[in-house]
Amino acid sequence: MMMIKLWMVTCLQLAELFVSSVVHLIYGFYIFSTAVAGDVSQKLSDYLFKSNVGGETDQRSQSNVEGLPPIVLVHGIFGFGKGRLGGLSYFGGAEKKDERVLVPDLGSLTSIYDRARELFYYLKGGRVDFGEEHSEACGHSRFGRDYGEGQYPEWDEDHPIHFVGHSAGAQVIRLLQQMLADKAFEGFEETNENWVLSVTSLSGAFNGTTRTYLDGMRTDDGISMKPICLLQICRIGVIMYDWLDISWLKNYYNFGFDHFNISWKRTGVRGLVDCLVGNSGPFATGDWILPDLTIQGSTSLNSNLQTFPSTYYFSYATKRTRRMMGMTVPSGVLGIHPMLFLRVFQMSQWRFPQDVSPPYKGYRDEEWQENDGAMNTISMTHPRLPVEHPSRFIRSDSECQTLQPGIWYYKIVEADHITFIVNRERAGVQFDLIYDSIFQRCRKHVFRKIPQTLPNQSPRCPSSPR
């Protein structure tokens, strides 16, 4: 009887793995094909309708935004920045809502640490330095991409930046700010936490997610993977993608592991085998993003991260569940993306194994049931683990006309994890409401000295604290 039960459970798990793999592959193909189609259409349009108006518009726009601090949009896991996937926008074109927005392309699967280092050099300029100690421990090259002069070389305490991060991008920003405070960049000893003016999180991965365990991370350590799971399929696919090193394909989309030198040109067949069996590469050393997104990994990361008293913090936590008859269930069918519906249900019913020590003292399954299909709502509001940071729950953006620095203001929004990225039509008017409020807050209500003069506006007296 026990054998039959075990056999049935195994069959169900394999069936779920097959369905999840197919759904994710279809969605990935959809994104890629959409990008290619858009790119071809744009190039054809440029060829047929050549115009010289664009240059004048860009120059005029640049002069209008002089003096405004940039708003930097940081993508999440499997994300991409400007210049990847043709003309497709990870943030659904939200960057067009303001005249000084930067969208960096960081490693889509690299660790929070590596992405934070890359983000610094993308802005300040120079060749990415991952640090000698970290690079030796993780088995990759110390230096990465060269960003030349950088996108904002004047960045300092007097020229701070607004950051907006989606999903894991929020943790990248927090770690970057801590690195600035710790003066962790060799040759840049003048950095401090005040280089960051504000941090806005959109479905931010502050405290980890139970989805990592559903996808294949082990619950006992939060670092290693189960032998058969969705993440193992992902691992093999990424290793093959980087090993084949097809230049035009990697220019179109890159997982960000170039500093591991996995390419066949460097390692040959033996290098591929070593990566596949787990002897080398990012998945062998744990220097990739999933270990940072488990509850254990996030708690470890958070133990070194502060909420700083001179920086403004805001968070949008998302959820697609509701309570019904004493249970947490998906809040609907049509409003949840097909790729996420199964995970919304699974996360709402997930329980930490009783034979494994809980990830932290006081852990309760019930508190982690509300979710958006990728992140648990409790994890997105503000940093909670291992210690809770100052926070305030708000119901309306109007409550944020007067903000205090050093406090996480958070709002809970009815949406799934990808409502506000890639396809803006899915979110409808809610897309504009969210991003308009983010950009308006950055421009009108968040400043340390005097409010910025917006393009085509004259200076006016501030209505917010100075």
Side-chain angles (χ1 to χ4, degrees):
M1 192 70 179
M2 285 294 295
M3 289 295 295
I4 295 176
K5 185 178 180 180
L6 181 62
W7 181 81
M8 291 180 64
V9 170
T10 301
C11 288
L12 287 173
Q13 290 175 338
L14 290 175
E16 187 274 332
L17 175 60
F18 175 77
V19 172
S20 295
S21 302
V22 170
V23 169
H24 283 79
L25 283 172
I26 290 174
Y27 183 68
F29 179 76
Y30 161 74
I31 292 294
F32 190 84
S33 60
T34 299
V36 172
D39 212 19
V40 171
S41 176
Q42 183 62 49
K43 288 183 178 179
L44 183 61
S45 177
D46 291 343
Y47 177 77
L48 294 176
F49 306 101
K50 294 182 179 179
S51 174
N52 296 320
V53 179
E56 297 178 3
T57 302
D58 291 344
Q59 187 175 2
R60 184 167 59 251
S61 173
Q62 187 66 30
S63 65
N64 281 341
V65 300
E66 186 177 353
L68 281 178
I71 298 174
V72 180
L73 306 182
V74 184
H75 64 74
I77 186 172
F78 287 108
F80 52 92
K82 188 175 182 180
R84 298 289 186 186
L85 286 180
L88 194 64
S89 168
Y90 178 85
F91 287 92
E95 61 270 23
K96 298 176 183 178
K97 288 180 170 290
D98 189 270
E99 297 188 63
R100 199 170 195 186
V101 177
L102 299 173
V103 189
D105 178 67
L106 308 175
S108 65
L109 280 181
T110 52
S111 65
I112 300 293
Y113 177 94
D114 286 0
R115 294 181 66 192
R117 303 291 293 191
E118 191 171 5
L119 180 55
F120 174 84
Y121 291 98
Y122 164 86
L123 294 165
K124 194 66 178 174
R127 191 177 182 188
V128 178
D129 182 355
F130 295 106
E132 183 178 2
E133 184 178 347
H134 170 83
S135 300
E136 287 184 1
C138 296
H140 61 66
S141 300
R142 175 176 176 178
F143 298 99
R145 194 187 322 185
D146 192 337
Y147 284 102
E149 295 183 358
Q151 295 295 316
Y152 194 53
E154 63 267 40
W155 185 27
D156 58 22
E157 184 174 358
D158 295 323
H159 303 86
I161 292 177
H162 298 286
F163 286 94
V164 179
H166 174 255
S167 190
Q171 281 291 73
V172 173
I173 297 166
R174 294 188 63 224
L175 180 54
L176 172 61
Q177 186 176 26
Q178 188 64 56
M179 289 178 173
L180 294 170
D182 295 340
K183 305 185 187 307
F185 297 96
E186 188 173 317
F188 298 92
E189 285 74 21
E190 75 284 3
T191 64
N192 63 59
E193 65 274 14
N194 293 329
W195 286 31
V196 177
L197 182 52
S198 73
V199 177
T200 300
S201 165
L202 194 56
S203 305
F206 294 132
N207 306 287
T209 170
T210 56
R211 170 158 179 174
T212 57
Y213 311 119
L214 287 166
D215 287 343
M217 298 301 290
R218 294 175 61 93
T219 54
D220 54 350
D221 62 10
I223 299 174
S224 54
M225 287 181 281
K226 300 171 187 176
I228 301 176
C229 62
L230 182 64
L231 292 179
Q232 288 286 5
I233 296 174
C234 172
R235 180 185 74 90
I236 294 171
V238 171
I239 289 173
M240 293 302 301
Y241 188 94
D242 268 51
W243 185 80
L244 290 171
D245 194 19
I246 302 172
S247 58
W248 69 267
L249 196 58
K250 290 189 71 174
N251 286 333
Y252 215 63
Y253 185 83
N254 197 330
F255 292 107
F257 293 124
D258 291 343
H259 53 305
F260 278 91
N261 302 311
I262 301 175
S263 170
W264 64 271
K265 301 171 187 175
R266 290 176 175 266
T267 64
V269 176
R270 182 172 181 176
L272 173 63
V273 174
D274 283 341
C275 285
L276 289 175
V277 300
N279 291 334
S280 63
F283 304 100
T285 62
D287 192 30
W288 67 301
I289 201 166
L290 260 296
D292 292 333
L293 298 181
T294 63
I295 299 177
Q296 297 97 321
S298 295
T299 301
S300 176
L301 182 63
N302 284 341
S303 64
N304 299 310
L305 303 184
Q306 303 174 57
T307 292
F308 294 96
S310 297
T311 301
Y312 296 86
Y313 299 92
F314 197 90
S315 173
Y316 292 92
T318 46
K319 75 182 184 90
R320 267 301 180 188
T321 53
R322 62 178 177 178
R323 295 289 294 176
M324 187 173 68
M325 300 178 64
M327 296 177 58
T328 303
V329 296
S331 57
V333 177
L334 298 179
I336 304 176
H337 194 281
M339 185 180 69
L340 297 176
F341 183 83
L342 179 60
R343 285 295 189 256
V344 171
F345 177 77
Q346 289 176 315
M347 290 175 69
S348 69
Q349 306 301 313
W350 194 82
R351 300 288 187 274
F352 217 85
Q354 294 183 353
D355 59 341
V356 175
S357 299
Y360 63 90
K361 186 178 180 179
Y363 171 85
R364 296 175 64 243
D365 287 317
E366 296 78 12
E367 296 177 340
W368 290 79
Q369 290 178 350
E370 287 191 336
N371 70 89
D372 65 359
M375 295 296 304
N376 309 88
T377 305
I378 189 176
S379 178
M380 294 183 276
T381 59
H382 61 285
R384 297 172 179 265
L385 303 173
V387 295
E388 189 161 4
H389 291 220
S391 65
R392 177 185 169 188
F393 171 64
I394 65 166
R395 289 178 174 80
S396 171
D397 287 333
S398 61
E399 299 178 45
C400 292
Q401 298 299 309
T402 302
L403 295 172
Q404 293 182 6
I407 298 175
W408 283 92
Y409 293 83
Y410 69 91
K411 180 180 180 182
I412 297 178
V413 181
E414 190 71 24
D416 64 42
H417 197 69
I418 59 176
T419 297
F420 302 112
I421 60 171
V422 184
N423 185 358
R424 66 183 301 165
E425 282 74 24
R426 274 195 70 231
V429 67
Q430 197 177 21
F431 180 95
D432 294 309
L433 291 174
I434 289 288
Y435 282 106
D436 286 346
S437 67
I438 292 174
F439 291 133
Q440 287 175 15
R441 188 181 308 112
C442 290
R443 294 301 184 217
K444 296 182 179 180
H445 304 293
V446 172
F447 47 87
R448 291 200 182 107
K449 295 177 182 178
I450 58 173
Q452 305 94 0
T453 300
L454 300 180
N456 304 319
Q457 284 190 359
S458 58
R460 61 180 181 178
C461 296
S463 58
S464 302
R466 285 175 285 185

